[in-house]
Amino acid sequence: MILERLVFHECFGHTTGRVTYDFGVKPEWGADSSTFSKSDCSGFTRWMLSRTVPGLPGDYPEGSVQQHEWCDVNLDAVHIDDAIGDDTNQIYQFFLAPEDSSDGVGHTGFFQNGQSFECFGGHGVGSRTAQHLIDKGVKYAYILPSEV
């Protein structure tokens, strides 16, 4: 299971500013980016992984809580401070647990070199500084195995 970084950034670029946030909406597994214009955060992360991680099982979970559980079993976690300080081009998946969220809704996305790649409310697909993850209460991030 190896994430293809170039494809990751191409997929993000094709959806940034075009795909809006809609809670509960999930793009089809492996769908072309032109076939959807709405997603929620976990739908977006699932779609991104379906396009950029050859061999990832199609039963990768849809919800952020379930994705978090899957990552706990299958990936290595690092403390968020260590991950944000990493400048090696490593891509991480992060989670905000519902109980740590002000609105009781979980959240997930990716980040690399201090920038997030996520689909978030009031915006859609976009990027913010990764510092907002710490500010929101994210504690750990999961290393997505990728090519060198």
Side-chain angles (χ1 to χ4, degrees):
M1 185 173 84
I2 302 293
L3 181 134
E4 296 176 352
R5 286 190 199 144
L6 180 59
V7 177
F8 179 93
H9 288 286
E10 287 173 355
C11 288
F12 184 74
H14 291 183
T15 55
T16 301
R18 189 183 61 74
V19 175
T20 59
Y21 181 85
D22 194 353
F23 184 75
V25 174
K26 316 286 187 198
E28 276 189 49
W29 180 262
D32 185 89
S33 64
S34 65
T35 64
F36 66 96
S37 61
K38 296 179 182 217
S39 181
D40 67 7
C41 64
S42 63
F44 178 70
T45 57
R46 185 176 187 273
W47 175 80
M48 285 284 288
L49 293 174
S50 78
R51 299 288 294 185
T52 62
V53 182
L56 183 69
D59 62 353
Y60 182 78
E62 289 188 349
S64 65
V65 171
Q66 293 79 12
Q67 287 179 7
H68 194 174
E69 291 169 353
W70 188 94
C71 287
D72 263 344
V73 171
N74 294 284
L75 299 175
D76 293 326
V78 295
H79 193 272
I80 192 71
D81 291 330
D82 295 331
I84 287 177
D86 179 2
D87 62 359
T88 64
N89 288 325
Q90 177 63 55
I91 297 173
Y92 298 88
Q93 186 169 3
F94 69 84
F95 296 92
L96 179 63
E99 59 271 13
D100 295 333
S101 171
S102 61
D103 60 6
V105 176
H107 183 59
T108 186
F110 307 103
F111 69 91
Q112 177 187 39
N113 297 336
Q115 286 296 123
S116 72
F117 306 92
E118 56 187 311
C119 188
F120 53 98
H123 182 77
V125 174
S127 185
R128 304 184 273 192
T129 64
Q131 179 61 43
H132 87 276
L133 304 176
I134 293 172
D135 296 344
K136 292 286 186 182
V138 173
K139 296 174 180 68
Y140 294 93
Y142 294 84
I143 299 169
L144 295 171
S146 58
E147 83 284 0
V148 177

